Amino acid sequence: MTTTVSAPEQETPAAAKSLWRHRDFLLLWSGQTVSEIGSNITQITLPLVALLTLNASTFQVGLLTAATTLPFLLVALPAGPVVDRVLKRPLMLWCDLGRMVLAASIPIAAVLGVLTMVQLYVVALVMGVLSVFFAIAYQSYLPSLVEKDQLVDANGKLGATQSFAQLTGASFGGALVTFLGAARALAADAVSFGASALTLFLIRTPEPAPTRSGDKRNLRAEIAEGLRFVVGHPVLRKLVASTAVSNFFGTIVLSLQTVYLVRELHAEPWVIGLVMGGSAIGGLAGGLIANWVGKKIGTARMIWLPALLLGWAGLLIPAAQPGWSTILVAVGMTILMVIFVLYNSSQVSYRQSITPPELLGRMNASVRWIMWGTMPLGALAGGALGTYFGVRPMLTVSALGDWLAVLFIVFSPLRKLRDVPKD
């Protein structure tokens, strides 16, 4: 199997083993930390803009969530060949700048008194398109920045960043909404994308030129090659099926959680921020312990074992009632975030390890098209079914579906492996 490009030669062997002394990884990591904080401010404030400023219905909030994730279904597949053909870092930089402008448009429109649901839908959709290209390029870029045996550690640190960002971003977002209003709070996301673009600009490690075939290829053939690799792999297809089902039910929860907290649990914006932020402690812990857990139980077992044993925790969310038991939402989400980060740090590393470098973009695009393509369907289902059957019953069904999704992996060849392969 072809190996990925290693970290730059000027690194000493000792330094190369420590990501804490890897300058360019630290730049990438710090930029993403700031950007993720801003994005999590948006995650809490965008539905609140719709609910509190524009008085949106449950279905409209679900449609807004669908607009954010729909691009993964529409453009993820063609994005893969594009990412494979170009340098990843400049592409990521331009995506950040585009998202900065879009995020800034909402508070500007609010100040001018012209903000509408149509603008929220358009901004969510276009930012989603840019996020598709950024995410595929990001996961395809990482193996060229760090060594293969550092991937689990690197993905674990990035997973911890996402949870730390959720912790601080959600809490800070709740405070900003309370003091500034939901729309104006989105200015923080615009600033965060600018910071991420700056750190990408400062990275010095030369990126390997994209591998180009001597034969002229068409887009359809390249897309098909990526899909065949994913679907034809006995483990990858099980991972993809499990995550796709989990994302479908998880997005039902995502589309309903703000409505649930505001209209059924009667939580104030600052309480919502604390609940969502507090749950991220689990994800932060998961990222910090990912390397240790992987050594103890095996990086391959880490993909399915925690989810099988602890996936029931999602049932705590619909068990909450107005008042002090709102904390059950945070507890359930905390445990689920531990599982998510452990799962993601290993399964992403597995995918990066087994895929030839020239296929990384198309593999990631194919995987995300299937995995994330179920998310807009889940958001629409959440908005529609939550309106018809009620929010709490749909949260219960979604928690059960999310838990059972791990069975795809339990009954796969991955169960026989202890560790993610490194070569």
Side-chain angles (χ1 to χ4, degrees):
M1 181 174 291
T2 306
T3 55
T4 55
V5 178
S6 63
E9 292 182 1
Q10 64 264 29
E11 296 259 15
T12 65
K17 292 296 180 184
S18 174
L19 291 177
W20 292 105
R21 290 178 286 179
H22 194 308
R23 173 190 178 274
D24 287 344
F25 174 77
L26 293 177
L27 275 172
L28 182 72
W29 190 19
S30 60
Q32 277 307 101
T33 300
V34 176
S35 178
E36 289 282 351
I37 290 172
S39 295
N40 279 281
I41 291 175
T42 299
Q43 186 176 340
I44 184 176
T45 55
L46 197 60
L48 287 174
V49 171
L51 284 168
L52 303 179
T53 304
L54 301 177
N55 197 30
S57 67
T58 298
F59 181 73
Q60 286 177 312
V61 175
L63 193 60
L64 185 61
T65 304
T68 305
T69 55
L70 185 61
F72 282 96
L73 185 60
L74 298 180
V75 303
L77 282 179
V82 172
V83 169
D84 279 336
R85 292 172 179 174
V86 303
L87 292 172
K88 281 71 173 170
R89 186 167 66 95
L91 176 62
M92 293 156 59
L93 194 153
W94 284 110
C95 287
D96 269 340
L97 292 176
R99 291 186 293 180
M100 177 183 71
V101 172
L102 288 164
S105 73
I106 293 178
I108 291 172
V111 169
L112 296 176
V114 295
L115 184 65
T116 64
M117 283 299 300
V118 173
Q119 181 178 349
L120 292 187
Y121 292 142
V122 171
V123 168
L125 186 65
V126 180
M127 285 185 71
V129 171
L130 295 176
S131 295
V132 168
F133 280 91
F134 186 94
I136 293 171
Y138 188 78
Q139 289 189 344
S140 303
Y141 176 65
L142 187 61
S144 70
L145 192 66
V146 303
E147 295 181 359
K148 183 168 284 191
D149 61 0
Q150 295 174 311
L151 282 173
V152 171
D153 189 20
N155 284 310
K157 284 179 167 58
L158 291 168
T161 290
Q162 291 176 333
S163 299
F164 173 76
Q166 186 179 356
L167 170 64
T168 54
S171 302
F172 190 41
L176 286 176
V177 170
T178 300
F179 292 108
L180 301 179
R184 290 179 177 84
L186 286 165
D189 200 11
V191 174
S192 73
F193 285 128
S196 177
L198 178 62
T199 59
L200 286 168
F201 178 78
L202 293 174
I203 290 176
R204 297 175 185 169
T205 302
E207 182 182 345
T211 303
R212 300 185 185 277
S213 171
D215 300 327
K216 189 174 182 180
R217 307 290 302 279
N218 62 59
L219 190 64
R220 184 176 297 177
E222 293 187 74
I223 289 173
E225 189 175 7
L227 280 170
R228 279 197 302 269
F229 179 80
V230 171
V231 176
H233 194 283
V235 174
L236 260 185
R237 64 171 175 253
K238 295 285 190 175
L239 280 173
V240 169
S242 176
T243 310
V245 173
S246 177
N247 281 348
F248 174 81
F249 288 108
T251 310
I252 291 178
V253 176
L254 181 64
S255 67
L256 295 177
Q257 66 180 1
T258 305
V259 177
Y260 179 59
L261 287 164
V262 170
R263 292 182 176 164
E264 297 216 10
L265 301 185
H266 310 297
E268 297 292 331
W270 66 270
V271 175
I272 297 173
L274 288 177
V275 167
M276 292 184 176
S279 71
I281 294 174
L284 178 60
L288 294 176
I289 67 173
N291 207 35
W292 178 83
V293 173
K295 291 177 180 178
K296 290 294 182 182
I297 68 172
T299 52
R301 292 173 184 165
M302 192 165 73
I303 295 175
W304 60 271
L305 191 57
L308 183 65
L309 297 178
L310 299 173
W312 55 265
L315 292 170
L316 295 176
I317 297 172
Q321 298 294 330
W324 67 268
S325 71
T326 300
I327 197 173
L328 290 176
V329 179
V331 173
M333 292 174 66
T334 297
I335 298 172
L336 293 179
M337 282 300 296
V338 172
I339 296 169
F340 169 78
V341 173
L342 292 178
Y343 169 82
N344 217 38
S345 61
S346 269
Q347 68 94 3
V348 171
S349 301
Y350 179 83
R351 285 159 38 197
Q352 291 167 336
S353 296
I354 65 170
T355 306
E358 66 274 11
L359 267 176
L360 274 170
R362 280 166 287 172
M363 178 277 293
N364 283 321
S366 299
V367 165
R368 282 184 176 265
W369 179 66
I370 301 170
M371 286 181 174
W372 291 64
T374 60
M375 294 177 69
L377 303 178
L380 290 172
L385 298 177
T387 300
Y388 187 78
F389 292 106
V391 172
R392 195 183 299 271
M394 286 311 303
L395 289 175
T396 303
V397 170
S398 300
L400 289 170
D402 193 16
W403 184 13
L404 295 176
V406 73
L407 294 179
F408 282 100
I409 306 173
V410 173
F411 297 106
S412 80
L414 187 68
R415 194 181 76 248
K416 300 177 183 178
L417 298 179
R418 184 187 188 278
D419 291 296
V420 167
K422 292 186 172 62
D423 51 61

